[in-house]
Amino acid sequence: MTVCSQAPAAGTAVPVDFTDDLPPLGRLAPSPTGLLHLGNAWAFLLAWLSARGRGGRILLRMEDLDPQRSRPAFAAAILEDLAWLGLDWDAGPGCAPTALAPDCGPFVQSQRAPVYAEALARLEAAGHTYPCFCSRRELRLLASAPHPGEEGPERPDPCRTLGAAEQRRRLAAGHHAALRLRCPDESISFTDAVMGPCSFSPGEFGGDFALRRSDGVVAYQLAVAVDDGRMGVTEVVRGRDLLPSTPRQLLVMRFLGLRTPRYAHIPLLLDATGERLAKRHASLSLAALRARGARPERIVGFLAKLAGINPGGGAARPWELVGRFSPDALPREDLRVMENDMDSLAGAGG
């Protein structure tokens, strides 16, 4: 699948450019479905440095929509780990009320049901949605950020052409329906700060995608798009595995009349076998590394070296790196974290 090209195709939403005069507002958006690992720290550090380096602010949003996997204990551990690393935020859990944007809070997605309900009602009223009665594996994954290969089906949804009478009949018969966005038949283009000009056809980002599961749980794509737009986020720094989510979120923001952020999809951290770091890598969680003696300054310095802004790899605190981060300095390939790297971090602890 080719999604990034040398020149953008005709697009439908234009992200905020690097030269935009808005005060930078970045975000950290962890999901409390497990402990933070080194890959999370990598993404959050770069997001923090990107905003702070231009005098910007940071909001923290807890993305706890997944009712099966989200746990309050994980949310508490995330706050502890971020503070341990030296990453702060101006709005979010644990902060006094602030006015970063008119519709900023609350900063916990499970507490934002009225916001999402309003957005869905607007999309429905404008004819941008339709009920889908299909039962698919995708519908069980919608509340979580997608992984590569989980963007959704590329074939047309058979429910797209159901008439109103048939929709009412199925609902009256007790069938539960997900709510899908009716995607236009056009490519969605944007310029990514790392990947360059990108263009996705509907088939490449999965076509019509769900905004709400059949059990009523709001989908990840809807919630993130609404939150980024209404909270006034001007930049999103995240892993390149979420690149195919961007055209989906741009469509939602376009239909709701929300201003879109700029995007920077950074390379991923991989384990020694080439597998993307995930929460199943318990040995690479920040808690495990801390237990082995790793100090936050060593972790931050190591990650900054990978980002091309700390050549010697020496210990560093986040605020000491402010002003150094640039997407141009990032490698364009994913990076492997070897066991000897972890041994070095732990051995340097004191």
Side-chain angles (χ1 to χ4, degrees):
M1 176 178 69
T2 301
V3 296
C4 295
S5 59
Q6 294 301 311
T12 59
V14 181
V16 176
D17 188 73
F18 277 111
T19 59
D20 197 284
D21 59 3
L22 288 176
L25 177 59
R27 47 87 150 172
L28 311 179
S31 298
T33 56
L35 297 174
L36 292 188
H37 54 72
L38 201 64
N40 300 135
W42 159 255
F44 293 151
L45 174 63
L46 298 192
W48 189 93
L49 289 173
S50 179
R52 295 295 194 210
R54 288 172 292 120
R57 296 168 296 175
I58 296 286
L59 67 83
L60 173 67
R61 182 174 70 230
M62 199 64 68
E63 298 192 339
D64 63 341
L65 284 179
D66 190 332
Q68 281 77 43
R69 299 172 60 214
S70 296
R71 299 287 186 273
F74 290 141
I78 286 170
L79 298 182
E80 180 182 349
D81 283 343
L82 291 174
W84 180 74
L85 281 175
L87 303 181
D88 61 353
W89 51 93
D90 303 288
C95 289
T98 186
L100 287 180
D103 301 308
C104 235
F107 296 94
V108 180
Q109 286 187 332
S110 60
Q111 300 174 12
R112 295 178 60 80
V115 177
Y116 305 140
E118 177 192 14
L120 288 171
R122 289 179 57 192
L123 292 171
E124 287 187 86
H128 294 309
T129 67
Y130 63 89
C132 174
F133 300 90
C134 300
S135 176
R136 301 176 183 171
R137 179 174 178 270
E138 178 193 3
L139 301 182
R140 299 194 300 272
L141 299 172
L142 294 175
S144 298
H147 300 305
E150 293 179 350
E151 287 77 28
E154 293 190 7
R155 66 183 180 84
D157 192 304
C159 297
R160 194 182 216 257
T161 56
L162 288 179
E166 176 61 16
Q167 291 174 1
R168 290 194 295 269
R169 185 193 70 77
R170 295 193 185 193
L171 291 170
H175 295 283
H176 297 288
L179 193 67
R180 288 186 180 269
L181 189 76
R182 192 184 300 274
C183 295
D185 186 20
E186 58 189 66
S187 293
I188 309 301
S189 301
F190 57 97
T191 299
D192 188 84
V194 177
M195 306 294 291
C198 298
S199 184
F200 286 79
S201 69
E204 288 173 323
F205 64 77
D208 297 349
F209 57 94
L211 304 171
R212 185 183 63 210
R213 295 193 330 194
S214 59
D215 61 3
V217 174
V218 173
Y220 167 84
Q221 305 292 359
L222 182 280
V224 169
V226 169
D227 289 348
D228 284 343
R230 292 192 59 165
M231 291 179 177
V233 172
T234 66
E235 61 179 36
V236 172
V237 178
R238 60 190 180 188
R240 68 161 186 82
D241 55 325
L242 288 173
L243 187 66
S245 290
T246 304
R248 293 179 166 197
Q249 292 163 16
L250 288 175
L251 274 177
V252 171
M253 287 185 269
R254 170 194 176 190
F255 290 150
L256 290 172
L258 298 171
R259 188 167 190 179
T260 60
R262 66 159 190 169
Y263 292 90
H265 288 86
I266 61 177
L268 304 177
L269 295 194
L270 311 178
D271 66 13
T273 68
E275 187 176 9
R276 180 180 67 93
L277 294 190
K279 289 172 181 174
R280 62 182 172 274
H281 289 85
S283 64
L284 296 182
S285 71
L286 296 186
L289 292 172
R290 186 162 63 243
R292 291 178 59 185
R295 298 295 302 157
E297 299 88 349
R298 294 297 303 168
I299 291 177
V300 169
F302 171 71
L303 295 175
K305 178 182 178 181
L306 296 182
I309 59 175
N310 187 29
R317 297 181 183 273
W319 64 265
E320 295 174 319
L321 302 170
V322 169
R324 298 190 197 178
F325 174 72
S326 169
D328 294 335
L330 288 174
R332 291 316 189 248
E333 301 295 329
D334 293 337
L335 300 159
R336 295 201 184 198
V337 177
M338 311 304 289
E339 185 58 37
N340 64 324
D341 294 324
M342 298 303 95
D343 291 339
S344 176
L345 290 178

